[in-house]
Amino acid sequence: NPKIKIIIRYHPIIRNKFKFNNQLPNFKISNSDLYEDSQDSIFAIYSSSTSIFEAIQYGCLPIRLFSDQLISLNDPLWQINQSLIINIKNFKELDKLVLNVNEARNNRDSEYQKYIKLLNEIYLVIEKYNTKVLIKELSK
């Protein structure tokens, strides 16, 4: 879909292992930091990367990618209400989501409410493991 801008971010360790001959003007491999990429994005697709926490803080809604081709040992958002996270398993599901991206932009208010709930859940998880609380507990 040429109307949709797609940014791919490789893990820094493997970033230079890929040679990509890009012929698509709307698809780019990022040379920016996560903050810059997130500012123009509605969604962030992840599998097991904890950088999804940053992307969420910068305004992106998470899409969890399940794939047999990815190593997916854990979901960093496992403690979060899963109804707040979009899950996809294949290209067809991603394609359907991308085709509906304009609808997502138009429904930004409802997406914003979902985003606020997601942030609140993340902050609750973080509070549970607050450093001061951990030190107090370990000092007993």
Side-chain angles (χ1 to χ4, degrees), residues 9-18 29-32:
R9 297 184 54 80
Y10 289 115
H11 190 282
I13 293 174
I14 62 171
R15 166 181 251 150
N16 296 327
K17 294 189 181 223
F18 296 95
I29 296 176
S30 176
N31 290 320
S32 304

Side-chain angles (χ1 to χ4, degrees), residues 64-78:
R64 172 92 161 105
L65 175 61
F66 292 96
S67 172
D68 294 337
Q69 298 176 358
L70 295 173
I71 297 172
S72 187
L73 300 176
N74 64 334
D75 179 357
L77 300 178
W78 66 274

